[in-house]
Structure formats: C-alpha cells, structure tokens
Amino acid sequence: MYALIYDKHRLDHPLKRVISVHKNRNEAEAALERRRGELGRKVPECFTRVVWVDKEDLQVGEFVGPGEYDTWRPGELVPFGDLYSDQD
C-alpha cells in the first residue's frame, strides 16, 4: 500500500502517522498535491511524503516506524532524478 505520512524528520520521533492510504503511487501523489493545495504550502512545507508500506490492512491514523516503510516499492521503477543526490 502507498501512504502519505506526516514526517518532520525528527530523529527523536521515529514513528510517523499515516495521513491517507492509497492503492497506487499515482493516487498517493494526487493526494499529496491536494494536501499541498489545502494547506496553501509547497510540498516540503507540508511535512508530508509518499511511502510504500508492505501491509494490506494499513489504516489512517496508524503509526509506522523505521523498517516498516520505504520511499519506493520493491521492483518499482525509480525515476533517474531520484537515483542520485543533487549535492556534491
């Protein structure tokens, strides 16, 4: 399942709250864009990101921790721009 999680990148708070659950990445990306619009902010300012969670019964409001989610689903084609860092 794909999910939007609330992630302020705080190491002292490793559990991330699930905001919404989606069957595919396109639906999740569209939900992220809607959230951005509702908040009137840019994506980085929403502290929200799309992740893959290998759990069929994932529910909104649950918390997921390190090792339970990843940015990309195993075997998913990762866009070239996401393979390499922009920084030196």
Side-chain angles (χ1 to χ4, degrees), residues 16-33:
K16 311 300 180 187
R17 184 174 52 90
V18 175
I19 297 171
S20 62
V21 179
H22 308 275
K23 293 185 181 193
N24 62 56
R25 181 169 293 278
N26 289 338
E27 288 178 10
E29 293 286 351
L32 178 60
E33 200 52 37

Side-chain angles (χ1 to χ4, degrees), residues 3-8 17-20 22 27-50 60:
L4 291 185
I5 60 170
Y6 186 72
D7 187 4
K8 281 191 116 174
R17 184 174 52 90
V18 175
I19 297 171
S20 62
H22 308 275
E27 288 178 10
E29 293 286 351
L32 178 60
E33 200 52 37
R34 280 191 306 274
R35 179 172 168 80
R36 184 201 61 74
E38 289 167 2
L39 295 174
R41 299 178 179 173
K42 296 178 182 177
V43 170
E45 297 168 343
C46 293
F47 301 109
T48 307
R49 65 184 179 125
V50 175
V60 172

Side-chain angles (χ1 to χ4, degrees), residues 63-83:
F63 288 86
V64 291
E68 293 183 282
Y69 62 88
D70 201 350
T71 302
W72 301 99
R73 179 178 51 89
E76 185 174 19
L77 182 62
V78 180
F80 182 79
D82 288 350
L83 291 174

